[in-house]
Amino acid sequence: MRSAPTPPLDLDSDADLLRMIQTDDPAEMEALFHSAHAVRRRHYGDGVYFRGLIEFTNYCKNDCYYCGIRRSNAKLTRYRLSHAQILACCRQGDALGYRTFVLQGGEDPHCTDAWMESVVRDIRAEFPRHAITLSLGERSRASYERLFRAGADRYLLRHETADETHYRRLHPASMCLRARKQCLFALREIGYQVGAGFMVGSPFQTATELLRDLRFLQALQPQMVGIGPFIPQADTPFGRYPGGTLTMTLKMVALSRLLLPAALIPATTALGTIAPDGRERGLLAGANVVMPNLSPQRVRKQYALYDNKICMGDEAAECRTCLEARIRRYGLAPDLSRGDCAGWRSDVRREAAAGAPA
Ligand code: 5AD
Ligand code: FES
């Protein structure tokens, strides 16, 4: 006997959303991925935006229990790229066609406001039309303002989990969800395109936490949403916990797309790490961004957030070629433009931040 057709999803209802988070019915999941793909096409067509990722420091003063670059990991060789090396990465990225640079690092006390500001200013001066995305963790509002004025456009800061109790189980007492949320709201007020997000399958996470993550995203309305599976890293306290699954991660990508139709959602490296075609499947379930690595090859291995990370041996150019081929194979089209969030007016935001009349 055929099962009854699935009723349309009411995303306002927690009960419906929870049911979708928990479903393992293949037809229902297929329908979900399909609708997410259709919504993404309505806003972005078949284009997939490329971002050049520069992992410029693996020093971190924090000690998140899940993260391989946490300060207590004595096994890790630490590195920090110089100002000149970062600029060289940007030049290489520009030559490869990238129009967004993502500068990502641990919370490294050596990266002072003055130093970061000079790096951002120099990138901005040399590449006036490119987008500069920062991902430097929690900083003061004054610091975020200064870096915005220096020319940064976007900021990625995953909230990791929107549940207070769960947050405390993933982080030492020196970190709290309230501070993280304050940073996110400050970044938004300053005028950044903001990215939040979370890991799927992190220790102690249940469907209720995932529901809260989705509701938090709805409340924040970020322009970008980063979602990837938790992957254990052997030298961390969570090294022996099971990782997040491909299916659950894809469901969360798809639900995020339905709840935030115009968001920029990457098919993350972590997704590509847990399944050979993970990123492609992410792109077919609502994601529309990829972030190929631009970091110098000799430091790649050291940016070890989790084990078995892919693309360690590839040069920047190889990453681009490989990703382009994968995207085309699935009928999607690499898009090397700046790729702002649909409907975003950077000119208006910038003027407002500078105090100019709107
Ligand atoms: N597995 C998956 N993602 C991780 N991150 C940190 N550690 C891990 C891990 N073990 C993610 C966090 C962080 C981002 C830069 O990487 O969500 O925000
Ligand atoms: Fe660096 Fe979590 S370990 S911010």
Side-chain angles (χ1 to χ4, degrees):
M1 198 178 79
R2 282 182 65 111
S3 55
T6 337
L9 244 191
D10 172 9
L11 297 174
D12 292 336
S13 137
D14 281 353
D16 265 20
L17 201 47
L18 255 183
R19 206 180 50 75
M20 280 315 288
I21 292 170
Q22 289 172 311
T23 185
D24 53 9
D25 178 300
E28 212 166 31
M29 290 195 287
E30 231 9 81
L32 170 67
F33 301 154
H34 234 86
S35 352
H37 190 51
V39 170
R40 156 251 162 71
R41 285 186 84 173
R42 200 175 313 140
H43 289 270
Y44 292 101
D46 283 329
V48 177
Y49 294 130
F50 276 58
R51 321 294 197 199
L53 176 65
I54 305 168
E55 296 160 335
F56 70 95
T57 175
N58 70 352
Y59 284 90
C60 190
K61 68 175 167 59
N62 290 334
D63 224 7
C64 307
Y65 302 141
Y66 48 83
C67 184
I69 69 168
R70 65 199 301 267
R71 75 156 185 259
S72 298
N73 184 3
K75 289 205 182 153
L76 193 68
T77 309
R78 304 283 169 169
Y79 74 90
R80 180 184 303 117
L81 299 185
S82 67
H83 185 129
Q85 286 171 320
I86 298 174
L87 261 294
C89 287
C90 293
R91 285 181 202 121
Q92 192 185 14
D94 176 59
L96 287 169
Y98 301 149
R99 296 296 173 263
T100 292
F101 305 129
V102 181
L103 270 57
Q104 183 166 87
E107 292 196 16
D108 179 352
H110 271 77
C111 301
T112 59
D113 291 348
W115 186 79
M116 276 314 310
E117 181 181 18
S118 77
V119 171
V120 172
R121 261 194 208 296
D122 286 355
I123 300 174
R124 176 52 66 230
E126 193 167 332
F127 304 101
R129 311 183 85 82
H130 291 45
I132 303 174
T133 303
L134 300 178
S135 180
L136 320 170
E138 294 181 19
R139 298 173 82 93
S140 68
R141 187 185 173 108
S143 168
Y144 291 147
E145 278 169 351
R146 194 163 160 184
L147 298 177
F148 186 76
R149 280 197 302 271
D153 302 278
R154 309 182 186 140
Y155 203 103
L156 305 175
L157 181 67
R158 290 192 183 173
H159 62 279
E160 312 295 0
T161 173
D163 181 90
E164 201 63 75
T165 310
H166 188 214
Y167 195 94
R168 280 199 296 271
R169 298 182 83 178
L170 300 183
H171 302 95
S174 54
M175 296 175 74
C176 71
L177 180 59
R178 203 165 50 86
R180 182 65 53 125
K181 286 185 175 175
Q182 268 170 5
C183 287
L184 285 164
F185 283 100
L187 288 162
R188 192 181 68 173
E189 270 170 37
I190 292 166
Y192 284 95
Q193 289 178 63
V194 174
F198 54 94
M199 288 177 292
V200 174
S202 58
F204 322 115
Q205 185 183 63
T206 67
T208 315
E209 276 81 43
L210 290 170
L211 173 70
R212 278 178 183 252
D213 285 322
L214 294 174
R215 293 297 184 219
F216 173 68
L217 291 176
Q218 273 187 297
L220 178 70
Q221 290 287 315
Q223 284 72 34
M224 302 169 283
V225 178
I227 296 173
F230 161 69
I231 304 173
Q233 203 287 330
D235 307 313
T236 64
F238 290 164
R240 287 171 176 277
Y241 279 79
T245 65
L246 176 67
T247 307
M248 187 56 100
T249 310
L250 293 176
K251 279 194 286 181
M252 297 313 286
V253 165
L255 289 168
S256 302
R257 169 60 67 203
L258 295 181
L259 291 166
L260 298 166
L264 297 159
I265 304 180
T268 55
T269 306
L271 196 49
T273 297
I274 61 164
D277 58 351
R279 282 176 299 183
E280 293 86 330
R281 292 177 66 177
L283 293 171
L284 297 178
N288 67 328
V289 172
V290 289
M291 296 170 71
N293 208 314
L294 264 184
S295 313
Q297 213 209 311
R298 65 184 169 75
V299 301
R300 293 271 178 96
K301 283 197 302 299
Q302 275 122 254
Y303 204 81
L305 302 174
Y306 46 81
D307 289 335
N308 307 316
K309 196 169 160 201
I310 52 170
C311 311
M312 290 303 198
D314 296 355
E315 290 294 348
E318 293 170 60
C319 281
R320 175 179 161 182
T321 319
C322 160
L323 271 169
E324 278 213 28
R326 285 164 177 265
I327 287 165
R328 290 192 203 284
R329 213 174 295 143
Y330 284 77
L332 299 170
D335 183 333
L336 287 154
S337 66
R338 237 180 89 107
D340 287 301
C341 184
W344 182 259
R345 292 277 315 276
S346 54
D347 48 342
V348 172
R349 287 301 182 110
R350 241 170 221 297
E351 281 167 20

